[in-house]
């Protein structure tokens, strides 16, 4: 198969869909890869590295889109990229469609087949292609929160770990999945007082076992959320209902009960955010203040540590890319139910139930869509 890797064009997005080592594996399996010139330059992957790995280099994105049978990217396609997709072409990337009607419409109009990293599943009920970026974003959430707590950023002027004789900051993490666990681990490592809330009792039990009681756990319900955030210095939003828009768990009215200068880090912003007052921000201008509360809502947090994130992403996506390239998408999603869960859009149809429900489209079962594509 001919695989294309365009340069990412989202604001301050320096990740790239494949590392040179990933290219080498695909080429060794008999595939051809073309990479847009300078796609990885900002993170130290030069065109020379890609050439040595066996890729061809294309000068422009439109050449990559015109030639490739499968496009491997990182971020959801921007409108100009959606318009370069063609019917039947396979797109393998993050999409986050539920909160994004425009992208969904453009993808449907393109006739392309789009597999979203964030809804591919595994046999343990996890999201293996979201997990590496969730690990990165969860860890970054605490760096971001600590920085935003500084006075110059509008924060309360509190040091996460405190110092001997002064209490540490309180960090409340809502959602104890991959983001939440990684955020909690970093916050604990810096000496903060950490509480995690989740709706899953099984998850709370696991967290309690893993951290030996050093992190407090609370069932996520309205009363526990309200009580815990009143006392918090940093609140991390880390909930997910796969494919669906994030539930709003903190209302604007609640903000007046928080400590002035407290920080909300809404990692779930790529699914629309779990705080009513969240709106997506960029690495260039990551925070804003509402009612005295600092909001950090960067929708592509791992882009800030793009070299680490790119390597982590390719580690996870490569086996699936090899399967898609080796079998073709129809056979791959027929054989592998976990890849099938990734199919969000197929030749003008929405094939993910939560996306269809969020945006009011008819849902077409992925296997039916795959059969129709034969
Ligand atoms: N902003 C960014 O750059 C990035 C954002 N993300 C996003 O972070 C979010 C979390 O991702 P993961 O941790 O990988 O998901 P996950 O599936 O591992 O964890 C989500 C957790 O939320 C819990 N949950 C669901 N509803 C809840 C509620 N009402 N109250 C409390 N907990 C609730 C679930 O039980 C689960 O444990 C996703 O929206 C993901 O797309 C991930 C990576 C980067
Ligand atoms: C998960 C995601 O959207 C990101 O890494 O940017
Ligand atoms: Mg995102």
């Amino acid at each position: 198969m001919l695989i294309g890797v365009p340069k990412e064009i989202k604001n301050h997005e320096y990740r790239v869909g494949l590392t040179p080592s990933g290219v080498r594996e695909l080429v060794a399996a008999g595939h051809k890869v073309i990479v847009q010139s300078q796609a990885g330059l900002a993170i130290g992957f030069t065109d020379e590295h890609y050439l040595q790995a066996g890729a061809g280099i294309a000068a422009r994105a439109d050449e990559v889109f015109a030639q490739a049978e499968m496009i491997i990217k990182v971020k959801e396609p921007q409108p100009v990229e959606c318009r370069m997709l063609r019917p039947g072409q396979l797109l393998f990337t993050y999409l986050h469609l539920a909160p994004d009607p425009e992208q969904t419409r453009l993808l449907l109009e393109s006739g392309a087949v789009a597999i979203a990293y964030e809804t591919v599943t595994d046999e343990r009920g996890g999201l293996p292609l979201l997990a590496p970026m969730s690990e990165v974003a969860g860890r970054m959430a605490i760096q971001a929160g600590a920085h935003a707590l500084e006075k110059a950023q509008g924060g309360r002027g509190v040091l996460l770990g405190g110092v001997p004789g002064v209490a540490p900051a309180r960090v409340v993490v809502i959602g104890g999945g991959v983001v939440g666990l990684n955020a909690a681990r970093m916050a604990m490592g810096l000496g903060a007082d950490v509480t995690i809330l989740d709706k899953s009792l099984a998850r709370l039990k696991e967290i309690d076992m893993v951290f030996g009681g050093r992190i407090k756990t609370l069932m996520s319900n309205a009363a526990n959320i309200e009580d815990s955030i009143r006392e918090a210095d940093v609140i991390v939003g880390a909930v997910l209902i796969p494919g669906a828009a994030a539930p709003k768990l903190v209302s604007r009215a609640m903000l007046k009960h928080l400590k002035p200068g407290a920080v909300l880090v809404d990692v779930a912003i790529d699914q629309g955010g779990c705080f009513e007052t969240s709106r997506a921000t960029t690495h260039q201008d990551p925070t804003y203040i509402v009612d005295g509360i600092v909001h950090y809502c960067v929708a592509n947090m791992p882009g800030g540590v793009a070299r680490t994130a790119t390597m982590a992403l390719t580690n996870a996506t490569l086996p699936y890319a090899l399967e898609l390239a080796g079998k073709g998408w129809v056979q791959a999603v027929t054989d592998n139910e976990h890849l099938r869960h990734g199919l969000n859009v197929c030749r003008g149809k929405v094939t993910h139930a939560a996306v269809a429900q969020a945006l009011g489209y008819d849902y077409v079962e992925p296997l039916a869509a795959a059969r129709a594509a034969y």
Side-chain angles (χ1 to χ4, degrees):
M1 183 180 276
L2 180 51
I3 298 156
V5 181
K7 187 174 190 309
E8 294 295 316
I9 56 175
K10 198 163 172 167
N11 181 280
H12 279 261
E13 183 53 74
Y14 306 110
R15 286 174 290 178
V16 55
L18 284 172
T19 59
S21 335
V23 168
R24 188 170 151 179
E25 299 293 324
L26 284 159
V27 171
H31 304 295
K32 283 198 173 134
V33 183
I34 42 172
V35 177
Q36 187 180 347
S37 182
Q38 305 202 344
L41 188 62
I43 54 169
F45 297 140
T46 63
D47 289 354
E48 191 54 36
H49 290 133
Y50 283 106
L51 283 167
Q52 279 168 8
I57 300 293
R60 297 189 321 268
D62 57 354
E63 295 170 34
V64 175
F65 278 83
Q67 292 176 56
E69 293 161 82
M70 166 161 64
I71 297 286
I72 299 189
K73 269 178 55 60
V74 180
K75 290 313 296 177
E76 67 279 1
Q78 305 300 296
V80 58
E81 293 174 315
C82 288
R83 293 190 186 99
M84 286 190 276
L85 290 166
R86 57 173 193 275
Q89 191 171 34
L90 179 60
L91 171 67
F92 192 38
T93 191
Y94 288 115
L95 295 177
H96 306 292
L97 292 179
D100 194 345
E102 194 203 357
Q103 189 207 159
T104 307
R105 182 178 57 79
L106 289 171
L107 283 180
L108 288 168
E109 282 172 13
S110 75
V113 176
I115 298 185
Y117 293 157
E118 73 275 8
T119 64
V120 173
T121 52
D122 65 22
E123 55 291 336
R124 291 181 308 283
L127 300 168
L129 303 190
L130 182 61
M133 295 307 95
S134 293
E135 288 164 358
V136 171
R139 290 173 184 220
M140 282 181 86
I142 299 306
Q143 292 179 201
H147 183 60
L149 267 182
E150 292 175 16
K151 284 308 297 176
Q153 312 306 319
R156 298 182 22 81
V158 167
L159 184 63
L160 271 192
V163 288
V166 181
R170 289 197 173 150
V171 175
V172 169
V173 180
I174 311 179
V178 181
V179 167
L181 206 63
N182 279 276
R185 196 185 134 187
M186 287 297 121
M188 191 186 84
L190 286 171
D193 173 323
V194 186
T195 302
I196 296 190
L197 296 97
D198 202 291
K199 277 192 101 60
S200 156
L201 197 52
R203 187 65 183 165
L204 294 177
K205 283 182 183 165
E206 266 172 43
I207 294 168
D208 187 67
M209 291 305 283
V210 169
F211 291 104
R214 281 173 298 160
I215 287 179
K216 293 169 215 156
T217 57
L218 277 179
M219 176 50 68
S220 179
N221 56 41
N224 280 343
I225 290 175
E226 277 183 30
D227 289 347
S228 55
I229 66 176
R230 279 171 205 265
E231 304 300 323
D233 299 287
V234 175
I235 300 155
V236 178
V239 302
L240 176 66
I241 299 163
K248 301 287 179 215
L249 300 175
V250 176
S251 65
R252 177 158 191 173
M254 269 308 293
L255 297 190
K256 64 175 178 292
H257 301 297
L258 305 191
K259 297 181 191 172
V263 174
L264 297 179
V265 179
D266 199 346
V267 186
I269 189 66
D270 55 357
Q271 294 293 144
C274 60
F275 309 130
E276 185 186 354
T277 42
S278 296
R279 59 172 166 80
T281 58
T282 62
H283 285 291
Q284 215 164 355
D285 191 9
T287 59
Y288 60 94
I289 297 178
V290 178
D291 299 344
I293 305 301
V294 186
H295 291 56
Y296 174 102
C297 305
V298 175
N300 58 335
M301 293 174 69
V305 290
R307 190 173 163 89
T308 301
T310 294
M311 292 191 276
L313 185 60
T314 293
N315 284 345
T317 55
L318 190 66
Y320 298 88
L322 281 162
E323 191 169 344
L324 287 166
K327 295 179 171 177
W329 74 266
V330 172
Q331 196 60 47
V333 306
T334 304
D335 294 351
N336 183 339
E337 67 165 309
H338 298 297
L339 258 179
R340 189 152 77 232
H341 294 149
L343 193 67
N344 276 225
V345 166
C346 181
R347 291 179 172 271
K349 308 281 185 221
V350 175
T351 50
H352 192 285
V355 173
Q357 194 191 5
L359 297 176
Y361 285 100
D362 288 336
Y363 164 66
V364 174
E365 211 276 315
L367 273 184
R371 267 185 235 112
Y374 263 118

